């Protein structure tokens, strides 16, 4: 009897908790309907001597997770979010030790290397904000004098953690605000150029941060916004734009991430509020969707097989589309938040359908039991 299996590679946080357990449950239920068994495990769950894992398997009838000893599946969906050097080394050792496994997506680069890679593509480069590495305050002030606002972002950060926005009010006065590494809001404060260094002295910026041109994202009510687009492979191995939605940050926040208290809104609704014209909205949407497809296809050529890419987009006051960030392990809750339940279900099932297509297509990634 042939059984199709997909391993979900995750990482324990504190007290052996899994960050995305609710998502894994949905994957398990959807996978069962497709004839695909989902096994969730971490590098800590491996019995290396037997090449087995003590996997978590969801049992829909009981509504509970159960532990099951099983062979490591040959096909892996990597959902590890490292949260620190220790976890990064742990997953690197796993990949090195079990290098015969197949993955439905490959790792991408940090923010700086990603910017460098995307800059190589003539279709994508015009959509990239000016970006440099943080080497000194001189670099930061130089970019800030070219652009009215800049963002300081950790090269390996996620979820809006550790982001600072500096905005030029006058030649000698700046507005600083942001979020610390625990996502806590740093209230707006007016500072002089000489005070910037003191305010950021404990942030260890050199070698860890990039400096990026800030795109005007402030709405009439003072809150910032952006757009999250999800591009995924379908059950035939083809790229599709699953959906795109707007995100609006809470008051006094420089980021719009949902985990940081942001709210979601349908893309068309937000664009209509800003631009009024349905024709203008259609044009912006067309440009955004083309950019998303260009990014997904290029990154796959550059870094290897991918199953999904999340990209954060900004639309400036003139309607130009900017690419702010690329996320190789995107969430999909934004579609649930705006009531697009069909899109949300599709966002969950597409990685499974793609995995099943790979398993059926290639005997080398199929488990025989």
């Amino acid at each position: 009897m042939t059984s199709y299996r997909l391993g979900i590679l995750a990482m324990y946080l504190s007290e052996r908790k899994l960050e995305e357990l609710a998502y894994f449950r949905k994957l398990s239920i959807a996978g069962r309907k497709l004839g695909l068994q989902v096994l969730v495990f971490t590098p800590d769950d491996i019995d290396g001597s037997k090449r087995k894992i003590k996997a978590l398997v969801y049992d829909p009838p009981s509504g509970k997770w159960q532990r099951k000893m099983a062979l490591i599946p040959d096909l892996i969906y990597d959902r590890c979010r490292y949260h620190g050097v220790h976890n990064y080394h742990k997953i690197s050792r796993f990949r090195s030790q079990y290098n015969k496994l197949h993955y439905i997506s490959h790792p991408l680069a940090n923010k700086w290397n990603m910017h460098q890679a995307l800059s190589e593509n003539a279709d994508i480069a015009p959509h990239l904000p000016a970006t440099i590495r943080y080497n000194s305050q001189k670099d930061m002030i130089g970019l800030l004098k070219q652009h009215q606002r800049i963002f300081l972002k950790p090269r390996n950060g996620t979820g809006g953690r550790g982001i600072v926005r500096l905005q030029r009010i006058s030649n000698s006065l700046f507005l600083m605000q942001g979020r610390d590494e625990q996502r806590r809001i740093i209230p707006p404060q007016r500072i002089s150029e000489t005070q910037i260094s003191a305010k950021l002295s404990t942030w260890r910026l050199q070698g860890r941060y990039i400096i990026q041109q800030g795109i005007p994202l402030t709405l009439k009510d003072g809150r910032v916004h952006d757009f999250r687009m999800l591009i995924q492979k379908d059950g035939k191995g083809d790229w599709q734009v699953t959906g795109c939605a707007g995100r609006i940050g809470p008051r006094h926040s420089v980021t719009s991430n949902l985990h940081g208290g942001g709210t979601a809104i349908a893309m068309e609704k937000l664009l209509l509020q800003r631009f009024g014209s349905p024709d203008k909205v259609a044009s912006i949407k067309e440009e955004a969707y083309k950019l998303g497809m260009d990014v997904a296809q290029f990154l796959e050529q550059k870094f290897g097989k991918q199953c999904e890419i999340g990209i954060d987009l900004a639309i400036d006051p003139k309607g130009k589309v900017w690419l702010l960030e690329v996320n190789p392990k995107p969430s999909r809750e934004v579609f649930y938040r705006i009531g697009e339940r069909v899109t949300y279900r599709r966002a969950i099932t597409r990685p499974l359908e793609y995995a099943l297509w790979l398993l059926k297509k290639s005997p080398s990634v199929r488990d025989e039991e």
Side-chain angles (χ1 to χ4, degrees):
M1 177 182 176
T2 300
S3 173
Y4 296 110
R5 305 188 307 152
L6 177 66
I8 307 294
L9 183 59
M11 187 69 70
Y12 288 123
L13 302 178
S14 58
E15 300 176 0
R16 290 180 68 85
K17 291 182 180 178
L18 294 174
E19 186 174 18
E20 294 189 293
L21 197 58
Y23 174 48
F24 301 155
R25 180 180 63 82
K26 289 166 187 163
L27 284 173
S28 300
I29 293 169
R32 186 184 179 100
K33 293 176 182 175
L34 294 170
L36 182 67
Q37 185 181 33
V38 169
L39 299 101
V40 181
F41 71 103
T42 79
D44 296 317
D45 296 319
I46 295 172
D47 182 343
S49 62
K50 299 178 181 177
R51 200 178 175 272
K52 287 190 172 185
I53 52 173
K54 193 174 183 182
L56 272 175
V57 179
Y58 186 72
D59 179 54
S62 68
K64 295 181 179 179
W65 289 96
Q66 300 174 351
R67 288 286 180 183
K68 173 185 175 182
M69 288 299 296
L71 291 173
I72 301 176
D74 282 342
L75 190 61
I76 304 295
Y77 180 24
D78 181 357
R79 292 297 300 182
C80 288
R81 292 173 176 173
Y82 306 127
H83 297 313
V85 174
H86 175 70
N87 282 346
Y88 174 77
H89 289 317
K90 185 181 290 187
I91 194 62
S92 296
R93 285 194 299 270
F94 171 83
R95 281 182 172 271
S96 176
Q97 185 175 355
Y98 298 95
N99 56 13
K100 299 279 178 67
L101 298 177
H102 301 265
Y103 292 83
I104 64 174
S105 60
H106 286 75
L108 297 179
N110 64 38
K111 288 183 177 69
W112 171 246
N113 291 333
M114 178 65 71
H115 175 80
Q116 294 294 90
L118 292 169
S119 298
E120 299 171 10
N121 186 288
D123 293 324
I124 298 171
H127 298 276
L128 299 176
T131 305
I132 60 174
R133 282 186 292 190
Y134 184 98
N135 291 315
S136 67
Q137 181 168 321
K138 183 180 177 182
D139 298 328
M140 178 175 65
I141 297 299
L143 194 64
L144 187 52
K145 289 184 175 177
Q146 293 177 45
H147 305 283
Q148 188 177 359
R149 63 187 62 78
I150 60 169
F151 282 86
L152 299 171
K153 297 180 176 182
R155 290 189 311 170
N156 296 305
T158 60
R161 295 179 179 87
I163 291 180
V164 175
R165 185 179 74 186
L166 284 167
Q167 189 164 333
R168 181 162 37 88
I169 301 173
S170 68
N171 287 335
S172 59
L173 194 61
F174 303 90
L175 184 68
M176 188 184 91
Q177 59 190 125
R179 285 183 181 269
D180 65 16
E181 292 188 347
Q182 282 73 48
R183 290 202 189 104
R184 292 176 301 211
I185 291 176
I186 301 170
Q189 47 196 301
R190 293 173 178 243
I191 57 175
S192 66
E193 182 177 324
T194 55
Q195 290 176 306
I196 293 176
S197 180
K199 290 286 185 182
L200 298 174
S201 61
T202 61
W203 285 66
R204 295 181 297 127
L205 300 175
Q206 192 165 357
R208 295 180 61 241
Y209 268 68
I210 61 169
I211 314 167
Q212 189 176 81
Q213 169 194 356
I215 310 303
L217 299 176
T218 306
L219 299 171
K220 290 180 180 179
D221 63 2
R223 295 191 292 171
V224 300
H225 78 291
D226 65 7
F227 296 86
R228 164 56 63 90
M229 178 178 285
L230 181 62
I231 307 105
Q232 297 177 297
K233 291 272 187 72
D234 63 16
K236 297 179 181 178
D238 297 323
W239 284 110
Q240 305 286 349
V241 176
T242 299
C244 188
R247 303 182 302 183
I248 300 174
R251 295 193 182 281
H252 307 302
S253 173
V254 301
T255 64
S256 60
N257 306 73
L258 299 186
H259 289 301
T263 56
I265 181 173
M267 181 186 195
E268 290 84 356
K269 183 177 180 180
L270 183 52
L271 288 175
L272 274 172
Q273 287 176 5
R274 290 187 62 205
F275 297 100
S277 165
D279 290 342
K280 180 72 170 176
V281 169
S283 174
I284 292 170
K285 188 174 178 180
E286 182 180 356
E287 182 182 347
Y289 274 48
K290 181 184 183 304
L291 176 60
M293 292 292 283
D294 287 345
V295 168
Q297 291 164 3
F298 175 74
L299 292 180
E300 185 161 61
Q301 293 167 8
K302 189 77 178 176
F303 295 101
K305 184 190 300 174
Q306 305 293 328
C307 74
E308 60 185 356
I309 300 286
I311 63 174
D312 295 343
L313 302 171
I315 315 295
D316 71 19
K318 294 181 179 179
K320 178 177 176 178
V321 180
W322 296 87
L323 173 58
L324 299 179
E325 208 160 296
V326 175
N327 189 333
K329 294 165 187 174
S331 63
R332 50 224 78 215
E333 294 305 309
V334 67
F335 304 115
Y336 186 86
R337 297 271 193 101
I338 62 174
E340 292 186 4
R341 301 302 168 86
V342 173
T343 302
Y344 178 63
R345 287 193 293 271
R346 188 181 297 131
I348 292 169
T349 58
R350 273 189 167 158
L352 300 171
E353 291 166 350
Y354 175 56
L356 199 55
W357 177 75
L358 287 174
L359 288 162
K360 291 179 176 179
K361 177 172 170 273
S362 174
S364 65
V365 294
R366 190 172 64 209
D367 290 312
E368 302 266 342
E369 289 188 347

